[in-house]
Amino acid sequence: MIKAEWFYWLVGLSFLVMASQMLTDRSNPKRLGTTAFWGLLGVGFVYSSWVVEKKAPAEPLGAAVLIMVLLAGFGFTGRGTPRTTTPEQREASALKLGNKLFVPALAIPVVALLCAVLVKKLSIGGEPILQEGSETILGLGIGAVVALVVGMIMLREKRIAVPVQAGRSMLESMGWAMLLPQLLATLGTIFQLSGVGTQVGKLATSVLPEDFLYVAVVVYCVGMALFTVIMGNAFAAFPVMTAAVGWPVLIEHFHGDAPAVLAIGMLAGFCGTLVTPMAANFNIVPSALLELKDQYGPIKAQLPTAGVLLGCNIVVMALFAF
């Protein structure tokens, strides 16, 4: 049986290999901090397996996260100059291959879909080939490996060091922002367990007029957008605002249709995603990869759309959820 842990170990090994490259790259003036940041992340992917199995304490993982936050927050990470092809060589290769360049990228979702739909049904000796419940994540991992092999064959590249260097270059370009969504999702769980939603609910119900349905709709939708701006993730904001206003006020008190209220509330949260730098994978990482002069350019461009969509979600919920 292929286990999900194998995929996590492979990811961790990739980070560790790239960290070793960063350590020897003297073109990066902050190579020690950069190495420590990505090396700790790689070790975490491996060490966490023992934490899940209750064979090791979780505290070292927490300490590693805090150290990584300090390294990134105080500017101890940077970017080097990996040994790779020149822009002219890449442009010539792209012109030669044309749309074939999309084949490796498309291989990832195709393989992931096959694993999630077909391979999950296969078994050997009564044991499933893929670990039950992890077929999708395993499909993603297998798809990435297949895409790497396909890409190397297409480009006639025999050295694994070349794609590793290219991956490291992209990793350093994205920087710490790549991990922000995962950290913020964890923050949402902490908020939920610590009762933030309950306290926000008490505050909201004490302020909201008792029989003003539409005011409550506005509070829920705008609150979802604002909490998403703060937390960078609508999925993290959802349990907080739903526990505070969505369920007790809109559904239980005003007898709203639960699927409609909650689905539209989530869409309202996504409006906040469009306008926050905390949603780094959507708004900051693309700026870094495209080397835009204004790193907040995507946010400025999306701001009008976010405002219009938030207003539409409020109207749709008020008209169709009650």
Side-chain angles (χ1 to χ4, degrees):
M1 182 174 66
I2 303 175
K3 298 182 179 180
E5 288 302 310
W6 300 353
F7 172 55
Y8 295 130
W9 296 342
L10 179 60
V11 173
L13 178 61
S14 300
F15 283 128
L16 290 173
V17 171
M18 293 179 188
S20 67
Q21 292 178 337
M22 296 170 188
L23 182 61
T24 59
D25 184 5
R26 297 190 177 276
S27 66
N28 183 358
K30 300 178 180 179
R31 61 190 180 92
L32 296 180
T34 307
T35 300
F37 183 89
W38 296 109
L40 284 172
L41 181 62
V43 171
F45 268 91
V46 179
Y47 180 82
S48 58
S49 298
W50 298 320
V51 175
V52 172
E53 296 174 356
K54 308 296 184 182
K55 296 180 179 179
E59 286 77 8
L61 277 180
V65 171
L66 293 177
I67 294 173
M68 291 169 64
V69 169
L70 292 175
L71 289 171
F74 285 98
F76 289 113
T77 59
R79 181 179 179 183
T81 306
R83 295 186 298 273
T84 183
T85 54
T86 64
E88 292 76 16
Q89 289 174 321
R90 290 194 291 272
E91 182 177 357
S93 179
L95 291 174
K96 178 180 178 181
L97 292 171
N99 290 332
K100 293 180 181 179
L101 285 172
F102 292 102
V103 172
L106 293 174
I108 298 176
V110 169
V111 173
L113 180 63
L114 290 174
C115 289
V117 176
L118 298 178
V119 181
K120 66 178 295 185
K121 300 178 181 179
L122 302 179
S123 60
I124 299 176
E127 290 290 332
I129 294 179
L130 302 180
Q131 181 180 351
E132 292 184 359
S134 300
E135 293 88 357
T136 302
I137 192 69
L138 282 170
L140 178 63
I142 296 170
V145 174
V146 170
L148 173 62
V149 174
V150 170
M152 293 183 69
I153 292 174
M154 285 178 53
L155 298 174
R156 298 179 181 179
E157 180 57 64
K158 299 179 180 180
R159 300 167 298 168
I160 189 64
V162 173
V164 172
Q165 287 279 8
R168 171 205 152 194
S169 177
M170 182 173 291
L171 197 67
E172 290 183 333
S173 297
M174 293 185 289
W176 58 265
M178 188 184 74
L179 302 180
L180 191 57
Q182 286 74 25
L183 294 175
L184 293 172
T186 304
L187 179 62
T189 303
I190 295 173
F191 274 21
Q192 183 182 8
L193 294 175
S194 61
V196 172
T198 303
Q199 297 304 317
V200 173
K202 292 179 179 179
L203 178 62
T205 52
S206 65
V207 174
L208 284 174
E210 185 174 351
D211 295 320
F212 282 75
L213 166 63
Y214 300 124
V215 174
V217 170
V218 171
V219 169
Y220 180 51
C221 291
V222 173
M224 273 293 301
L226 290 178
F227 261 86
T228 301
V229 168
I230 295 171
M231 305 175 76
N233 191 320
F235 292 98
F238 183 75
V240 175
M241 285 305 301
T242 299
V245 180
W247 190 268
V249 178
L250 295 180
I251 296 174
E252 291 190 336
H253 181 70
F254 288 111
H255 307 292
D257 180 66
V261 169
L262 302 182
I264 298 170
M266 181 64 79
L267 291 175
F270 292 152
C271 296
T273 303
L274 294 173
V275 297
T276 176
M278 302 297 281
N281 53 331
F282 294 110
N283 301 328
I284 301 300
V285 169
S287 299
L289 290 177
L290 297 175
E291 299 181 349
L292 300 181
K293 294 182 179 179
D294 185 359
Q295 65 173 333
Y296 299 113
I299 293 177
K300 295 176 181 177
Q302 293 163 177
L303 186 58
T305 302
V308 173
L309 284 177
L310 180 59
C312 291
N313 283 320
I314 293 173
V315 172
V316 170
M317 182 181 292
L319 293 178
F320 299 104
F322 300 93

